[in-house]
Every structure is written in C-alpha cells, then in structure tokens.
C-alpha cells in the first residue's frame, strides 16, 4: 500500500521525502485525497509547478491586447496580413442615408475604418450613373467624395449607359462578389446576394463565410466583433489572412 501511494504521488510530481513524511503522519491507510490535502497544506509543490514558478524571460501581454510597440490597438496582428476589402458602395451609402439619401460620407467612413486597421487593398463599387447630377427621386449627398475616392484608385464605377433614353445598368453585385472571391477577400455589405448564391455554389460558400455586415451609429462605422456569430472567429481573425488560434481554456484544479 505504501509503495503504491508513493508511486502515485511521485507521478503527480511531488517529492519522495514529502510523501513519506505525510504518510508517516497520517498512516499508511490514509485516503489519497487526505494525503494530497496534507501535501498542499505543507506547501509542497509538484516539480512541474515549481519550474513554472521560475521568472520568465518573456514579457507577457494580456489576451486580446497588443504591446506598446505595435503602434495602435487596431494594428494588433496586422503583421499576419490583412484580407482585401471589397465594399458594396450603394449598400453602404444608402444605409448611412437611412435608405432615403445616397450618402457618400458613409462610404468614406467605411474606407477610413479599414485604412486605420492597415488594410492596403480597398475597393468600392458604385454604378456609373451615380456620377450624374442628383435628381429629386434619387438624392445624393457629398457627391464630391466619389470623385476623390476615384482619384485614389479606391472607387470603381460599374458600367451603365442609355439606350433610346433608357438607362441600361450592369449588375454591380456581380462585380463585388467576383472581385472579392478572386482576391480571397471580404465583402462589406448588409446584402445577402441570394441570387448570386443560387447561381454559383462556390460563391455561395464564399458569401456565407466572407460577408461582413455592419451598422452605422450616428457617424461611426461599426462592424460586429463576431461576424459569423458568437461561436465564430473574432473580427481581427475574420479580417486576417492568418488567424491566431484561441488560447487553451484550462480547467480549474479540483484541489484548488
């Protein structure tokens, strides 16, 4: 009995001398739980824990935070590379304009948000006819922003023309999904593109996994922290080419 208990606690990492001392005090028939409690009371530690108690040369950083040298909290993990961003300009502008006005300022807010994160590839798709002077039935606010973004090679106009007085418009959603798919990027829109999902099974998977929805809170562009739900990746991982694996969740020791 003595030898079996000695072997058991030695496997747990406790010193042979401490184990023998406890067994002498409690008796050979003592329960394993009682022996373990007495070892803990004596201050005896498994060798694995003692080695962990040694000072670590590494600087520990709280989970989810960045070191001061990273420059900005938004740049956390940017060294891993950021995914290309393709923005549904019409969807974003109309959302910022409460579905009444095509608000170009909403597009600028979205572009600024991704720029601050360090994304280098940002494309916004807008139908060409939005360059025309605003009409009463299709008001546009801050239209000059479209011209500025076009000069920066961020905004791309999808083709449209007039045939016998009627406007012929190319399907801009197809451009958005196709470019994002080819670039292995992220689509920024509150549209689900259900027609395109039904058209191409590869696009269906891509739209389901790479669609980043958003909200505007006043003049603040806000994507969700959990783009694919509470059990999915974090926003940082969603926007990164090489996501960081979550830290292991350690179970509490039953003996405290």
């Amino acid at each position: 009995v003595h030898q079996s208990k000695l072997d058991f606690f030695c496997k747990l990492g406790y010193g042979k001398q401490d184990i023998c001392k406890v067994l002498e005090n409690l008796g050979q028939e003592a329960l394993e739980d009682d022996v373990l409690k007495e070892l803990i009371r004596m201050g005896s530690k498994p060798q694995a824990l003692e080695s962990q108690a040694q000072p670590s040369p590494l600087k520990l950083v709280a989970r989810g935070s960045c070191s001061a040298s990273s420059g900005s909290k938004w740049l956390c993990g940017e060294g891993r590379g950021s995914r290309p961003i393709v923005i549904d300009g019409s969807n974003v502008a109309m959302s910022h304009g409460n579905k009444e006005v095509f608000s170009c300022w909403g597009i600028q807010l979205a572009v600024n948000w991704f720029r601050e994160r360090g994304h280098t590839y940002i494309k916004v798709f807008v139908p060409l006819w939005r360059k025309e002077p605003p009409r009463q039935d299709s008001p546009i606010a801050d239209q000059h922003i479209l011209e500025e973004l076009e000069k920066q090679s961020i905004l791309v106009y999808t083709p449209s023309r007039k045939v016998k007085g009627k406007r012929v418009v190319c399907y801009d959603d197809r451009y958005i999904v196709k470019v994002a798919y080819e670039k292995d990027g992220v689509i920024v829109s509150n549209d689900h593109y259900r027609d395109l999902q039904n058209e191409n099974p590869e696009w269906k998977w891509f739209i389901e996994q790479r669609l980043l929805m958003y909200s505007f809170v006043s003049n603040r562009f806000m994507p969700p922290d959990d783009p694919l739900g509470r059990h999915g990746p974090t926003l940082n991982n969603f926007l990164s080419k090489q996501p960081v694996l979550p830290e292991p969740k350690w179970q509490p020791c039953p003996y405290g």
Side-chain angles (χ1 to χ4, degrees):
V1 175
H2 176 86
Q3 188 61 43
S4 64
K5 288 184 179 179
L6 188 62
D7 293 342
F8 175 75
F9 287 103
C10 283
K11 288 179 180 178
L12 292 180
Y14 288 96
K16 187 175 181 180
Q17 186 175 354
D18 290 342
I19 300 168
C20 290
K21 185 176 180 180
V22 170
L23 289 174
E24 287 176 5
N25 293 338
L26 298 180
Q28 301 299 324
E29 302 300 326
L31 298 175
E32 292 177 350
D33 283 0
D34 295 333
V35 175
L36 186 56
K37 289 178 182 178
E38 184 63 18
L39 285 169
I40 295 172
R41 190 189 67 77
M42 288 174 53
S44 179
K45 293 182 179 180
Q47 293 177 2
L49 291 178
E50 289 178 353
S51 63
Q52 289 178 8
Q54 298 298 321
S56 173
L58 299 176
K59 183 179 178 182
L60 300 180
V61 181
R63 179 170 56 184
S65 66
C66 299
S67 63
S69 62
S70 63
S72 169
K73 66 178 181 178
W74 293 110
L75 298 181
C76 187
E78 285 303 309
R80 302 188 303 277
S82 301
R83 291 195 183 279
I85 301 298
V86 180
I87 299 175
D88 186 338
S90 296
N91 185 273
V92 171
M94 293 303 295
S95 177
H96 187 256
N98 294 322
K99 299 182 180 179
E100 297 177 356
V101 178
F102 189 94
S103 174
C104 302
W105 179 237
I107 297 175
Q108 185 69 66
L109 291 172
V111 170
N112 291 347
W113 192 89
F114 288 105
R115 272 177 168 169
E116 288 172 6
R117 287 196 83 264
H119 292 265
T120 55
Y121 186 97
I122 304 173
K123 295 296 179 185
V124 180
F125 285 89
V126 170
L128 181 63
W129 64 270
R130 288 294 184 181
K131 293 183 73 171
E132 300 173 4
R135 303 195 312 267
Q136 189 173 359
D137 61 337
S138 59
I140 302 177
D142 300 310
Q143 196 173 14
H144 65 280
I145 291 176
L146 300 181
E147 183 179 351
E148 294 171 5
L149 291 175
E150 185 184 19
K151 290 178 180 178
Q152 298 167 26
S153 299
I154 292 177
L155 186 135
V156 178
Y157 288 107
T158 57
S160 68
R161 61 193 177 103
K162 284 188 176 181
V163 178
K164 297 180 179 180
K166 291 185 178 181
R167 183 183 290 118
V168 177
V169 180
C170 293
Y171 194 25
D172 57 336
D173 287 356
R174 194 181 303 279
Y175 276 90
I176 293 164
V177 174
K178 187 174 182 179
V179 171
Y181 177 78
E182 291 175 352
K183 288 289 184 179
D184 193 27
V186 169
I187 303 171
V188 180
S189 178
N190 285 334
D191 190 349
H192 295 284
Y193 307 103
R194 298 196 188 280
D195 54 336
L196 296 178
Q197 288 191 46
N198 295 330
E199 181 179 308
N200 187 326
E202 292 184 356
W203 284 6
K204 175 179 172 60
W205 179 91
F206 183 80
I207 293 168
E208 289 175 349
Q209 299 298 318
R210 295 291 180 79
L211 182 66
L212 179 62
M213 304 185 80
Y214 63 89
S215 295
F216 279 107
V217 180
S218 297
N219 281 324
R220 185 181 176 190
F221 176 78
M222 294 185 67
D225 292 330
D226 49 356
L228 297 181
R230 60 185 300 183
H231 300 297
T234 62
L235 181 60
N236 272 346
N237 275 353
F238 184 81
L239 294 173
S240 299
K241 290 181 179 178
Q242 299 175 6
V244 173
L245 295 176
E247 293 183 2
K249 295 182 179 179
W250 301 102
Q251 295 296 323
C253 174
Y255 300 104

